[in-house]
Amino acid sequence: MPSPAYRVHALIEGTVQGVGFRPYVYRLASALRLGGWVRNDGGGVRVEVEGAAADVQAFLDRIVRESPALADVASVTADAVPARGERRFTIAASDAAGAAPAIAADAATCAACLGELFDPHDRRHRYPFITCTACGPRFTIARAVPYDRARTTMAAFAMCAACRAEYDDPADRRFHAETNACPACGPRVALVGADGGAIAVPDALSGDARALRDGAIVAVKGLGGFHLACRADDAGVIARLRARKRRAAKPFALMVPDVAAARTLVRLDRAAAAALESGARPIVLAPRRPDAPVAAAVAPRQADLGVLLPYTPLHHLLLAELRQPIVLTSGNVTDEPIAHENADALARLGGIADLFLVHDRGIAVRTDDSVVRMATVAGTRRALPIRRARGWTPLPVALPVATPAPILAVGGELKSTCAVARGGRAWLTQHLGDLGDATAYRAFREALDHFQRLFDVVPAAVAHDLHPGYRSTRFAATLGDLVRVAVQHHHAHVASCLADNGIDRRVLGVAWDGTGHGPDGTVWGGEFLLADLGAYTRVGRFEAVPLPGGDAAVREPWRMAAAFLGAAYGAEATSLGIDAVRRIDPAAWRVVAQAAAHGLNAPRTSSAGRLFDAVACLVGLRDRVGFEAQGAMELEALAAPEADRVYAVAVDAGVVRTTDVVRGVVEDLLAAVAPATIAARFHATLAGVIVRVAERVRTETGIAEVALSGGVFQNVRLLEAATAGLAARGFGVLVHRRVPPNDGGLALGQAAVAARRLADGGAG
Ligand code: ZN
Ligand code: ZN
Ligand code: FE
């Protein structure tokens, strides 16, 4: 006798559309011989299944566990409903009503598609746009929601009969794959010259590979924009690329054919290999092998190399033919946003690239590559996010406190990202760049509009930085009808780290970066904040020193060296017998000293980033930098593996006497201690300072949890020493997981603070 039929109705929410969820449900239900149906609706995917109770239970047990790679199930709610004797399982028509669904992130080519790509008998053999429901572009081609072909840049391509049959077959891997295409009906690549004229070659990809091998610079259209590519082992072509791109020293990333090739360049542990091979395919910064077969100019004076694996069929085909690492860097001049439209790329990159590998699939949203850096935190190797973009955007981040009203968070000024939040989730935009650039500012405005539409957010409040001069703050001020929530920069950093760890309780936040507006009118950046999401108290900070010339001090670290020397030694500073002093000409000294003494064009700063700059200059690394934090990065790379001691530093009432650190460095220089040793002692000193302040705060408050945030914590040497020191003394340590510690994470922190304050009934 058959057991009585049992039926449930389930709602599955999260990123479950455009990721092959319905065919997956169809196959699972069919395998368990269940009847019923599945359909998309606005809020997610609805399913009814009917059959033996044990089989229905097995279905519910497996539905999340075995879900498609791109799916991100937020919740499953299931209720028993009356059985109907249904034996067949069907895919029902979608219900367009309801809340806007989530949209998936772009994903690297899956194993099944790769197999077909290199199979001479497959109809998509060597087709550079092969995709399925488990892989391919999503966010970068979506113009609007709901996610279907008509609202993507694939709308221009009508499917041929063979593709349409796959699209319509529930049992097929390409059932409702909105990106489905083939050589007969889909996008095509072409090779064009810098003048825009087509170059006649039998196979654009092979032609491109040949040009690269011969030393050309080629602009390659990828998922989120154009890259510039060239050989990685040819110092001549790299010098040409640097000159044309006007990028003197900033490191270039390298694309390698596979993990084995990555191992010849960098030290790859299991965690780094996992990050490299993850569906997001970020650039992974890992320690460079001394014998890495790449030109030194790829990443001058850096301890790490950035490597990434092919993530589109086009990249796979190119690298399979080249079988060697290539430089793959964003297609732009200096700090402009990456070019993403064919005409724009030709106009802007025509003076840089010799050739262009283009295609006719549009890019709806300009999106850079994501970047992570490997670090050991509390004994575990993990990938620290540095830039969050392609592969992760627009996946949501859960907020530790649900917001009672939808929020817009506009972020900072540099490394800008913004966010929208509704209920318990926040969606961060891709990395947008520096808002001082007009194209980046336009991208910022577009991203805000786009995300409000994608995630159905009609904001009631806008969270922004305290800095009145940030373009994001000025934009927030124009949103007259919204409740405004002003969030102090370093509080936003700490809140970002809390939200990233799903926490809403009081911790000691260590927020170290280059610059942030302090409510006392000074420039903050070496901060210890006792903070939760709602509020903070400044319980410690770096000693304030003059910032001679304001922003000029960021580009010219010699100014900071002079400011610190002046603060530490007064008038004696100019007669110290160290090289850095001799390199600064006397007139410049006088200007800096006067600025410092009279506060003329010299605001005071407690910035940790500026202390790194000063020390980098003192040990002889550089007096001027080509990009922010260059001195700090080189100081980290220079540091000897072990520190034999730390410098004696006074901490009075929470104020860290950074001039003591500078005195320690100067004494070492006078004693002819090696710069590598000084750099090691410097990092160990700062890690020790964090532990000392944390111990004092724990004694006074009982709080034994420390959150590390701010751009300075991209410094792995400092991060590892600080987390190890804190853990050894019994502290809980919070570091970033999904959003960067730098200003790219600010918007999440702002959204979390606003959510907390709105939930508490005040905007603050
Ligand atoms: Zn696939
Ligand atoms: Zn086709
Ligand atoms: Fe910051």
Side-chain angles (χ1 to χ4, degrees), residues 489-490 493 513-516 710-711 742-743 746:
H489 189 94
H490 301 91
H493 274 308
D513 64 3
T515 302
N742 60 45
D743 284 7
L746 281 179

Side-chain angles (χ1 to χ4, degrees), residues 240-335:
R240 211 152 66 233
L241 177 59
R242 286 203 179 279
R244 291 183 190 172
K245 200 171 144 66
R246 295 205 290 277
R247 176 151 150 170
K250 212 169 180 179
F252 289 142
L254 300 164
M255 185 174 266
V256 294
D258 51 32
V259 171
R263 282 188 203 290
T264 68
L265 303 180
V266 292
R267 288 211 311 275
L268 266 196
D269 48 49
R270 203 179 318 157
L276 262 185
E277 293 190 278
S278 67
R281 288 288 198 283
I283 295 169
V284 177
L285 296 166
R288 168 188 206 145
R289 292 175 63 105
D291 55 351
V294 296
V298 166
R301 295 203 219 176
Q302 299 296 318
D304 284 355
L305 282 178
V307 294
L308 82 165
L309 295 181
Y311 55 88
T312 69
L314 188 151
H315 294 131
H316 277 289
L317 291 168
L318 201 55
L319 272 289
E321 199 146 329
L322 281 164
R323 291 196 307 257
Q324 63 176 353
I326 52 168
V327 165
L328 199 72
T329 184
S330 43
N332 57 9
V333 178
T334 55
D335 293 331

Side-chain angles (χ1 to χ4, degrees), residues 2-163:
S3 55
Y6 182 73
R7 188 177 180 98
V8 296
H9 177 104
L11 173 64
I12 300 147
E13 291 178 291
T15 307
V16 289
Q17 294 191 7
V19 294
F21 209 86
R22 286 172 304 162
Y24 154 70
V25 169
Y26 175 88
R27 285 192 293 272
L28 181 61
S30 307
L32 291 165
R33 279 164 293 129
L34 299 172
W37 50 260
V38 58
R39 71 158 196 252
N40 277 344
D41 86 353
V45 167
R46 282 184 192 277
V47 188
E48 283 196 10
V49 285
E50 176 170 348
D55 293 334
V56 170
Q57 191 54 53
F59 176 86
L60 292 174
D61 289 343
R62 289 168 65 180
I63 185 104
V64 176
R65 208 171 56 223
E66 299 171 16
S67 67
L70 296 187
D72 176 25
V73 175
S75 66
V76 179
T77 44
D79 294 301
V81 292
R84 293 187 200 157
E86 199 170 5
R87 297 282 181 83
R88 259 169 41 94
F89 195 88
T90 55
I91 297 182
S94 295
D95 178 357
I103 202 155
D106 300 87
T109 312
C110 73
C113 285
L114 264 187
E116 293 168 348
L117 183 66
F118 290 107
D119 174 1
H121 305 294
D122 193 273
R123 71 187 187 95
R124 293 189 180 86
H125 179 228
R126 290 184 61 80
Y127 180 57
F129 303 94
I130 188 168
T131 62
C132 70
T133 48
C135 73
R138 297 290 186 277
F139 174 70
T140 53
I141 58 164
R143 299 193 194 280
V145 283
Y147 174 76
D148 59 33
R149 191 172 179 113
R151 293 177 184 85
T152 70
T153 59
M154 284 299 291
F157 305 94
M159 274 182 271
C160 68
C163 286

